[in-house]
């Protein structure tokens, strides 16, 4: 099966925070714009916002009602849908949106020492420019670094770029609850919690990307063995790689 062979080799890994790292870097930031959450969906009655999908390359300065995207909040679904359609033409190819999707550059304050790879949280990955260029030179596919607007409290601050990571691929149904409700037909919410034991659905995994986030659980950033091996050859640290089996 794709993504899994008889030798037990793992072709995919999730990228996690390195809690043993000696780097002291700290970032307090958020993206410049975003879509609102949904207030009381008429289909499932839920009020919700995900926010794990972000597109830092998106520039909303051409949008007339820019203030509608500056304040995090919940809105009736009709207003959310109206704003979603306003930004849809500006999204990168392959982008998926949901309530709380964040847009534009990462803004905020940063201090301390940073490794070549940096996790702001489980679903935001940054790299120093030199690390990104080295990985691209190694043939690692699908890496798109976007400028940040971080203010450092130190001299000789690093240039941190945020990776724009498209949502592709899903977890295998075998690791999800057998008796689960279908997603809400109005807002798309499925209400599933991320399982502890995860199995990637190999049939949904892209063949042209070495870095992506899951479509159904977007807090999970996935990379290929090619990505991991390149990082190890180049001594690029700052994160850990946890094996993610596929079937």
């Amino acid at each position: 099966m794709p993504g899994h062979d008889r030798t037990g080799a793992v072709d995919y890994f999730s990228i996690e925070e390195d809690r043993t790292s000696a780097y002291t870097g700290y970032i307090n930031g958020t993206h410049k714009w975003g879509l609102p959450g949904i207030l009381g969906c008429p289909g499932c009655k839920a009020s919700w916002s995900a926010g794990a999908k972000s597109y830092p390359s998106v520039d909303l300065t051409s949008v007339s009602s820019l203030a509608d995207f500056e304040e995090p909040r919940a809105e009736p679904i009709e207003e959310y849908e109206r704003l979603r359609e306003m930004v849809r033409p500006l999204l990168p190819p392959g982008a998926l949106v949901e309530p709380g999707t964040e847009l534009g550059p990462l803004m905020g304050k940063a201090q301390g020492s940073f490794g070549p790879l940096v996790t702001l949280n489980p679903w935001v990955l940054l790299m120093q420019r030199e690390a990104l260029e080295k990985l691209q030179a190694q043939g690692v596919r699908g890496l798109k670094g976007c400028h940040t607007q971080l203010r450092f409290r130190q001299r000789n601050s690093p240039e941190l770029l945020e990776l724009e990571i498209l949502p592709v691929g899903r977890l295998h149904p075998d690791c999800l609850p057998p008796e689960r409700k279908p997603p809400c037909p109005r807002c798309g919410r499925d209400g599933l919690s991320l399982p502890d034991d995860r199995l990637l659905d190999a049939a949904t995994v892209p063949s042209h990307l070495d870095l992506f986030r899951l479509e159904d659980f977007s807090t999970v950033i996935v990379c290929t063995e090619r990505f991991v091996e390149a990082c190890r050859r180049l001594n690029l640290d700052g994160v850990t790689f946890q094996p993610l089996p596929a079937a």
Side-chain angles (χ1 to χ4, degrees):
M1 285 181 283
H4 186 76
D5 64 29
R6 296 176 184 177
T7 66
V10 176
D11 295 336
Y12 301 100
F13 298 79
S14 61
I15 298 180
E16 313 280 349
E17 176 188 1
D18 184 359
R19 298 182 181 276
T20 66
S21 171
Y23 296 113
T24 62
Y26 171 76
I27 296 173
N28 181 11
T30 186
H31 292 91
K32 190 169 187 176
W33 303 294
L35 288 170
I38 288 178
L39 180 64
C41 169
C44 63
K45 311 304 180 186
S47 295
W48 67 286
S49 176
K53 293 182 175 71
S54 59
Y55 303 103
S57 71
V58 172
D59 184 358
L60 294 188
T61 53
S62 62
V63 175
S64 57
S65 55
L66 199 55
D68 289 339
F69 301 93
E70 294 177 344
E71 194 68 33
R73 66 195 186 285
E75 294 278 8
I77 193 169
E78 294 81 8
E79 176 66 0
Y80 159 73
E81 291 171 339
R82 182 185 74 85
L83 297 175
R84 180 191 64 193
E85 296 311 305
M86 289 179 66
V87 304
R88 194 184 293 278
L90 304 174
L91 298 175
L96 300 175
V97 294
E98 61 191 359
T101 294
E102 298 188 347
L103 307 166
L106 182 68
M107 305 171 60
K109 298 178 181 180
Q111 61 182 5
S113 62
F114 292 89
L117 281 67
V118 179
T119 53
L120 173 61
N121 51 43
W123 57 90
V124 174
L125 177 66
L126 301 98
M127 286 187 191
Q128 296 203 35
R129 176 177 288 280
E130 184 181 8
L132 176 60
E133 292 175 348
K134 286 181 177 180
L135 287 173
Q136 290 172 330
Q138 291 283 315
V140 178
R141 303 162 300 175
L143 302 185
K144 181 180 179 181
C146 300
H147 291 288
T148 59
Q149 295 180 7
L150 296 173
R151 303 185 305 277
F152 286 85
R153 299 180 178 178
Q154 64 213 41
R155 294 180 179 179
N156 303 319
S157 58
E159 183 181 4
L160 293 180
L161 302 176
E162 181 181 354
L163 276 292
E164 186 162 79
I165 306 173
L166 294 177
V168 194
R170 304 178 69 86
L171 289 186
H172 198 283
D174 287 355
C175 68
L176 300 175
E179 297 180 0
R180 55 187 183 275
K181 296 179 180 179
C184 172
R186 186 69 173 90
C187 71
R189 181 179 183 272
D190 61 22
L192 292 176
S193 299
L194 181 64
D196 293 329
D197 296 322
R198 301 162 199 170
L199 180 66
L200 199 57
D201 187 344
T204 68
V205 172
S207 60
H208 63 293
L209 297 175
D210 289 314
L211 182 72
F212 55 96
R213 69 173 76 251
L214 294 184
E215 178 182 332
D216 50 352
F217 292 96
S218 296
T219 58
V220 180
I221 297 177
V222 181
C223 66
T224 62
E225 187 176 28
R226 180 203 301 260
F227 184 102
V228 174
E229 289 180 346
C231 286
R232 289 174 176 164
R233 280 196 306 271
L234 297 166
N235 294 317
L236 302 179
D237 61 359
V239 301
T240 63
F241 302 105
Q242 301 299 322
L244 183 59

